Amino acid sequence: MPGGDMAKPLLGRRNMESNPDLTPAAGRTVGILGSGDFARSLATRLVYSGFQVVVGSRNPKRCAGLFPSAAEVTAQADAAKKTDVIFVAVFREHYSTLCDLTDVLAGKILVDVSNNTEINHHKESNAEYLASLFPACTVVKGFNVISAWTLQSGPRDGNKQVLICCDNQEAKRIVAEIAQVMGFTPVDMGSLSSACEIENIPLRLLPAWKIPVFLALGLFLCFYTYNFIRQVLHPYIREQKNRFYKIPVEVVNSTLPCVAYVMLSLVYLPGVLAASFQLHYGTKYRRFPDWLDQWLQHRKQIGLLSFFCAALHAVYSLCLPMRRSHRYQLINAAIKQSTLGFIALVVSTLHTLTFGWTRAFDENQYKFYLPPSYTLTLLVPCTVILAKIFFHLPCIHQRLRRIRNGWEKGRYVKFTLPSATGEYSSGESSSNV
Ligand code: NAP
């Protein structure tokens, strides 16, 4: 198992020497209970980071060959006796089988590395459960967000952060130091009650992308249905024309730019709403409603998904001989940068307006009284652009700028005026004066 990468210590000797704080931890003996995938990767990484490693297994003879020769593989009780810091690389279901070791583990630090298979699977976290089984030990939760693979390939190839929590500061410090020597970045997550949160992290798949992805899918579904009615259903019902061949390609290709365009405007809409909120309440210190807060935090992902849809549309249009694809092309590559992204929104809107102006008044373009999809997509971008223009009116812009600099409507602050004699007198004034 140890690959070329594993043979290299993550912190070179020079690094360790230059940081004297790290050397005491590096020489420490660290124990591991369990001989599975995680235990093997952890043992190897610990050995190459300069630790003495002792592995406790139910069957040491069988698994000794799987560990680096520098690691000692022995019986569980024996390993527990030899060290004060022990990683429990065993599944929660098997914790109770370790109870025979209660006496020998008393007073030691147990590092719970376990994960669950479901979010909030148990009432109490695995770490708290372990602590309840071994009340004489100090349990530290940590390393569960690091996979065996990351331990093998080194932190530069995956998540570098090791989230740690424990009720005992000293135990937390020791484990954080071990993580640091191994090349990881320890993150203090507070007391052991945070263990549940830490255990749920690996089960949450790209949490920041969930809402934007659902938003994109929802928009796609709406526009696809809309375009399907106009491009396929309407000709079939009214003119008995079979246009079902358009379903997989043309309808998709006319849907993608609609989604991209609306998503791009949704990047700017929360900013507009936030500005309106601040203007309305005359302060920047009032919390935004949760939904707006969430929306503001997801703007980057929404923008990137908009770019993805636009890029997909470009690929579709380039690869397939589509007569009408050019209509929907968006200048979207610039959305990474806020101002350029907004320019892209304005240019796309101008493009859509010039392209569709005459058609918007053509009766034939209305299928089942439904306007062309580009007309529909204009709604949100136009609202955003008009709102932005409104916020740039000098009187509004100035008020907004003052609010963002800390001024508050109707709030008076006390300050002291120097008097003619050099003494200070107390006065009241609005903070914007
Ligand atoms: P694994 O390969 O199945 O190893 C589990 C080990 O537990 C076994 O090798 C066994 O070692 C030991 N064990 C002790 N008592 C046991 C019992 N009564 N029944 C069965 N096994 C017993 O699992 P793993 O992937 O190494 O995971 C171990 C822990 O690390 C889990 O809590 C997991 O959630 C956590 N974790 C794993 C990863 C990963 O990438 N694999 C990542 C983060 C966290 P002996 O037979 O030598 O006693």
Side-chain angles (χ1 to χ4, degrees):
M1 182 185 62
D5 250 8
M6 287 290 273
K8 264 192 251 158
L10 291 167
L11 293 184
R13 271 181 66 80
R14 216 156 52 87
N15 232 340
M16 309 257 278
E17 278 157 15
S18 62
N19 189 350
D21 289 348
L22 299 181
T23 37
R28 184 188 287 280
T29 302
V30 177
I32 301 173
L33 288 177
S35 62
D37 294 336
F38 192 82
R40 289 199 296 273
S41 302
L42 180 67
T44 317
R45 186 50 72 205
L46 282 167
V47 164
Y48 289 121
S49 299
F51 293 94
Q52 309 286 322
V53 177
V54 51
V55 179
S57 167
R58 292 169 303 162
N59 195 339
K61 275 192 194 144
R62 196 187 57 191
C63 61
L66 301 170
F67 285 85
S69 53
E72 181 187 348
V73 183
T74 178
Q76 287 177 331
D78 204 21
K81 267 184 219 150
K82 291 187 173 161
T83 171
D84 289 336
V85 183
I86 300 155
F87 284 78
V88 183
V90 170
F91 284 100
R92 175 192 173 117
E93 295 70 38
H94 304 137
Y95 283 174
S96 55
T97 64
L98 302 175
C99 284
D100 297 343
L101 308 171
T102 303
D103 290 339
V104 70
L105 288 175
K108 308 209 165 176
I109 296 171
L110 299 183
V111 185
D112 181 295
V113 299
S114 66
N115 279 319
N116 286 319
T117 44
E118 281 170 43
I119 287 183
N120 296 328
H121 189 53
H122 303 281
K123 237 167 58 193
E124 62 188 342
S125 66
N126 297 348
E128 287 167 309
Y129 172 60
L130 186 67
S132 71
L133 290 178
F134 298 94
C137 298
T138 305
V139 173
V140 179
K141 180 83 209 176
F143 284 87
N144 62 307
V145 293
I146 302 294
S147 67
W149 166 251
T150 304
L151 282 167
Q152 278 187 52
S153 55
R156 65 179 168 267
D157 217 19
N159 179 24
K160 248 178 103 75
Q161 288 189 336
V162 171
L163 310 181
I164 293 170
C165 73
C166 176
D167 291 335
N168 183 305
Q169 289 300 326
E170 181 57 12
K172 195 155 55 179
R173 190 191 61 77
I174 291 171
V175 176
E177 211 174 85
I178 292 172
Q180 207 165 13
V181 175
M182 289 168 79
F184 293 102
T185 310
V187 179
D188 188 344
M189 294 289 286
S191 68
L192 202 63
S193 54
S194 315
C196 189
E197 196 188 328
I198 301 179
E199 284 166 14
N200 284 338
I201 289 174
L203 298 170
R204 295 213 167 97
L205 184 69
L206 303 172
W209 286 87
K210 206 165 150 187
I211 294 174
V213 166
F214 278 117
L215 181 70
L217 288 177
L219 280 172
F220 186 87
L221 206 69
C222 292
F223 280 115
Y224 186 88
T225 313
Y226 194 87
N227 288 330
F228 170 78
I229 293 171
R230 284 179 45 83
Q231 295 175 21
V232 180
L233 211 58
H234 184 270
Y236 184 70
I237 293 176
R238 287 288 159 88
E239 300 155 36
Q240 276 74 51
K241 282 186 184 159
N242 187 337
R243 296 272 163 81
F244 284 90
Y245 65 89
K246 285 185 170 184
I247 289 177
V249 182
E250 283 205 33
V251 180
V252 172
N253 199 37
S254 52
T255 300
L256 284 171
C258 298
V259 178
Y261 188 34
V262 173
M263 294 275 287
L264 183 60
S265 56
L266 291 182
V267 173
Y268 294 95
L269 188 57
V272 165
L273 295 175
S276 315
F277 186 90
Q278 289 176 334
L279 279 173
H280 178 71
Y281 288 104
T283 177
K284 71 164 184 174
Y285 297 110
R286 199 183 163 109
R287 270 192 67 83
F288 294 133
D290 275 353
W291 59 267
L292 184 55
D293 222 21
Q294 288 275 330
W295 194 352
L296 286 163
Q297 284 171 32
H298 288 101
R299 281 177 297 176
K300 190 173 80 184
Q301 287 80 5
I302 296 174
L304 288 171
L305 281 176
S306 157
F307 176 62
F308 174 71
C309 291
L312 214 58
H313 170 61
V315 170
Y316 253 79
S317 307
L318 285 173
C319 297
L320 301 160
M322 296 223 182
R323 283 173 293 131
R324 293 189 296 169
S325 61
H326 66 278
R327 285 178 182 180
Y328 297 99
Q329 276 173 5
L330 294 174
I331 301 168
N332 215 352
I335 58 162
K336 278 179 239 153
Q337 218 274 347
S338 168
T339 316
L340 290 179
F342 189 68
I343 292 171
L345 184 70
V346 173
V347 173
S348 317
T349 305
L350 289 176
H351 168 77
T352 316
L353 277 172
T354 41
F355 149 69
W357 190 254
T358 45
R359 286 157 208 261
F361 302 103
D362 179 359
E363 213 177 291
N364 294 330
Q365 295 292 323
Y366 287 73
K367 310 280 162 74
F368 291 137
Y369 301 105
L370 298 175
S373 49
Y374 70 85
T375 319
L376 209 63
T377 56
L378 276 169
L379 283 176
V380 188
C382 283
T383 312
V384 172
I385 292 168
L386 288 177
K388 283 259 188 192
I389 293 170
F390 173 72
F391 291 140
H392 274 86
L393 292 176
C395 53
I396 306 290
H397 181 69
Q398 212 181 6
R399 189 177 171 89
L400 200 57
R401 215 188 57 204
R402 279 195 314 195
I403 289 171
R404 286 174 178 171
N405 283 339
W407 176 85
E408 287 184 273
K409 183 168 80 177
R411 171 101 179 261
Y412 288 85
V413 291
K414 265 194 165 175
F415 65 97
T416 44
L417 288 169
S419 67
T421 56
E423 287 169 4
Y424 285 82
S425 64
S426 190
E428 293 240 316
S429 172
S430 166
S431 62
N432 66 326
V433 178

